[in-house]
Amino acid sequence: MSDSIKKVVLAYSGGLDTSVILKWLQVTYNCEVVTFTADLGQGEELEPARAKAKLMGLPDENIYIDDLREEFVRDFVFPMMRANARYEGDYLLGTSIARPLISKRLIEIAHETGADAVAHGATGKGNDQVRFELSAYALDPSIKVIAPWREWDLTSRTSLIAWAEAHQIPVPKDKRGESPFSTDANLLHTSSEGKVLEDPWEETPDYVYSRTVNPEDAPDAPEYITVDFEKGDGVALNGVAMSPAALLTALNELGRKHGIGRLDLVENRFVGLKSRGMYETPGGEIYARAHRGIEQITLDRGAAHLKDELMPKYAELIYNGFWFAPEREMLQAAIDHSQARVNGTVRLKLYKGLASVVGRKSPDSLYSERHVTFEDDAGAYDQKDAAGFIKLNALRLRLLARQGHH
C-alpha cells in the first residue's frame, strides 16, 4: 500500500501519540502529511498543535484547525438527544457522537487537498477505530485508511517514548511516567479509561474528575433554571435565546457547579471487550432530563412509547459507528417527525448531583387538567366507560384461567 500513498490527512491532537504518528507516517510511507485538529469544545488550546506540526516540517497550508462546536451540537448532539439516546441505559454517547463529525471533516479535507488516505490514532482494541473507519468508508468508498496502532511494532508506552526521542519528538514530562488514565473530551463530555480505572471494584479516585465538582461539595442551596424547546431542540436558557453550542456550554457550567452528570460504567464495546469508563456529561445530563420533561406533556403515548422502543437500537448504532448508515437515518427521520410539536418550557432544580424536572408548560400540551381532576370534571370523562374497557381486556385472561392457567 505504501507506494500508492502520496498524501495523508491525519486526525491530529498535538499530543504525544499523534505526534509520533505524524513522524511515523513521514518515515514509513515517505508521504506528505496534512494535519486536521478539530475544536469540539474540549477546552484545550489548539494553537500548540499548529506549532508542533510546523516543527515536523509541515507548511501552513497543510495544517487545518477548525472550530466545529456549533456543527457538532446542532447536527450531531441535538439530533441524538431528540431520541433520548443512552447506550446500555446510562451512557450519553459523548465520544461516539463526535467521531462521525471528525471523519466527515477528514474526508472533506482529503478531497480538498487531493490526499489518497486518512489516518487516525485510535488503537486496535477500542470502538473509535470502528467509528472513524465506518464513517470514512460510508462517505468515500475508495479512501484508504491508515491505523498505525494496528501496523507498527510500538507495543507499549515505553517503546513509543523511545521512538519519539530517537526521532527528536519532544516528550512532555508527564508522559515519561505512566499516565494514570486516558481521557477524551468535547463539548458534550469527558471520558476517562484505563490504568487506575481498570479494576471495576475500585471506586474512581477524586482526581480523575475534571469537569464536575464533587456533589458532596456542591452548593447547599438548589438552583432553578428553565430551558425552552422548539421542535425538540433547546433554544433558550432562563429565557435567553442561545445557539446550540452556547446553550450546551452554559448548561455545562451549571452542571459543573452542582456536580451533575457523573457516570461510572462497565460497558460492552463493539469489538467484544468489556471496558470500565468514567464519564462526566454535566450539561448533557441536564439537557437530556429537560428534553424528556417537555416530551412528557407534548408527545402522545403511542409516539412516546414507540420512541422508547427504538431508542436502544438507535443508541447502539451510534455507539457502534453506524451514524452514516441507512438504518440510523431511517430511525432519525421517525424521531424527527415525532418532535414537530415538542415545544415549551421545562423548569429544573439543580442540586448536589441531580437535575430534576419540577415543572413543564407548552402551547402544545396534551395534558388535560379537566380530565384528570379529582374534583367534578363536569362529564369530561365518564368513569362507567372503564368497566367495559377492563372487561374486554380481561376476557382472554379469564378464558385462560378457566383452562387452569395460573
Side-chain angles (χ1 to χ4, degrees):
M1 185 156 101
S2 59
D3 305 341
S4 60
I5 289 174
K6 306 281 181 285
K7 192 186 278 193
V8 181
V9 185
L10 167 65
Y12 183 64
S13 71
L16 178 64
D17 292 18
T18 52
S19 294
V20 169
I21 288 171
L22 202 176
K23 188 73 178 174
W24 182 86
L25 288 168
Q26 292 171 329
V27 171
T28 310
Y29 286 91
N30 192 24
C31 62
E32 192 183 341
V33 179
V34 175
T35 62
F36 161 54
T37 308
D39 181 357
L40 295 174
Q42 57 269 47
E44 281 168 17
E45 192 46 55
L46 296 183
E47 281 311 308
R50 186 189 304 278
K52 280 187 183 161
K54 277 185 155 168
L55 205 65
M56 308 260 193
L58 265 63
D60 277 337
E61 66 269 19
N62 281 22
I63 302 171
Y64 284 74
I65 296 182
D66 297 345
D67 184 346
L68 300 179
R69 287 173 297 178
E70 283 298 346
E71 185 181 357
F72 176 50
V73 185
R74 181 190 67 232
D75 298 344
F76 293 83
V77 177
F78 275 13
M80 175 177 82
M81 290 286 189
R82 287 174 215 142
N84 304 316
R86 290 181 188 256
Y87 180 64
E88 298 191 333
D90 281 321
Y91 171 38
L92 287 163
L93 296 159
T95 296
S96 323
I97 195 60
R99 297 326 188 201
L101 173 54
I102 294 171
S103 300
K104 171 178 173 273
R105 192 70 191 112
L106 271 177
I107 296 295
E108 285 169 0
I109 294 170
H111 292 167
E112 281 169 36
T113 58
D116 20 48
V118 294
H120 62 77
T123 77
K125 283 187 180 179
N127 296 304
D128 280 337
Q129 54 176 351
V130 184
R131 296 168 184 150
F132 281 132
E133 295 177 39
L134 290 179
S135 294
Y137 291 132
L139 297 169
D140 181 350
S142 60
I143 197 76
K144 295 189 178 76
V145 179
I146 302 172
W149 281 104
R150 302 200 302 251
E151 290 183 30
W152 64 24
D153 49 8
L154 306 174
T155 51
S156 68
R157 176 74 28 175
T158 318
S159 57
L160 190 77
I161 289 171
W163 198 93
E165 285 172 342
H167 292 84
Q168 285 80 52
I169 298 165
V171 179
K173 289 282 177 280
D174 60 346
K175 291 293 184 187
R176 291 175 190 277
E178 278 287 281
S179 171
F181 51 90
S182 95
T183 60
D184 171 71
N186 58 47
L187 202 53
L188 181 55
H189 89 160
T190 298
S191 78
S192 306
E193 291 183 338
K195 304 295 192 296
V196 294
L197 300 173
E198 279 174 6
D199 181 351
W201 178 246
E202 290 301 318
E203 188 173 357
T204 303
D206 226 32
Y207 61 77
V208 174
Y209 297 98
S210 61
R211 62 196 286 179
T212 50
V213 307
N214 190 325
E216 292 153 34
D217 304 325
D220 290 327
E223 182 169 357
Y224 288 87
I225 63 165
T226 60
V227 179
D228 293 352
F229 285 87
E230 280 176 20
K231 292 191 163 58
D233 287 343
V235 294
L237 173 63
N238 295 329
V240 180
M242 291 184 186
S243 73
L247 178 64
L248 186 53
T249 303
L251 289 175
N252 274 334
E253 215 26 69
L254 290 162
R256 169 197 290 281
K257 179 173 147 191
H258 293 281
I260 292 163
R262 292 182 169 193
L263 173 66
D264 180 329
L265 180 69
V266 177
E267 73 203 51
N268 291 292
R269 285 184 182 166
F270 194 19
V271 294
L273 299 164
K274 279 189 186 288
S275 93
R276 193 269 191 101
M278 196 288 301
Y279 299 112
E280 290 173 276
T281 320
E285 178 66 25
I286 299 170
Y287 186 91
R289 298 268 167 207
H291 182 260
R292 282 205 88 109
I294 195 61
E295 282 192 335
Q296 288 167 9
I297 57 168
T298 55
L299 267 196
D300 163 71
R301 181 185 70 184
H305 289 191
L306 180 60
K307 272 190 79 211
D308 279 348
E309 285 176 40
L310 298 175
M311 187 278 280
K313 177 70 184 166
Y314 176 92
E316 188 178 72
L317 287 172
I318 293 178
Y319 185 86
N320 290 349
F322 289 95
W323 179 263
F324 292 112
E327 62 273 35
R328 198 280 308 175
E329 289 164 358
M330 281 172 63
L331 287 176
Q332 192 71 55
I335 288 155
D336 291 353
H337 183 78
S338 76
Q339 302 294 289
R341 297 234 164 121
V342 178
N343 307 312
T345 304
V346 177
R347 188 167 64 242
L348 300 106
K349 175 181 177 176
L350 312 180
Y351 182 66
K352 293 199 181 289
L354 288 176
S356 315
V357 173
V358 293
R360 37 340 238 146
K361 62 179 180 178
S362 168
D364 296 297
S365 178
L366 298 171
Y367 177 85
S368 167
E369 210 168 324
R370 193 171 142 237
H371 282 79
V372 298
T373 181
F374 278 88
E375 300 307 320
D376 183 9
D377 63 14
Y381 180 99
D382 187 346
Q383 298 198 25
K384 293 190 185 73
D385 291 349
F389 175 77
I390 293 165
K391 273 204 161 147
L392 287 177
N393 273 289
L395 179 57
R396 64 193 182 88
L397 304 178
R398 295 169 84 174
L399 289 170
L400 280 165
R402 292 206 174 103
Q403 295 300 325
H405 291 267
H406 297 305

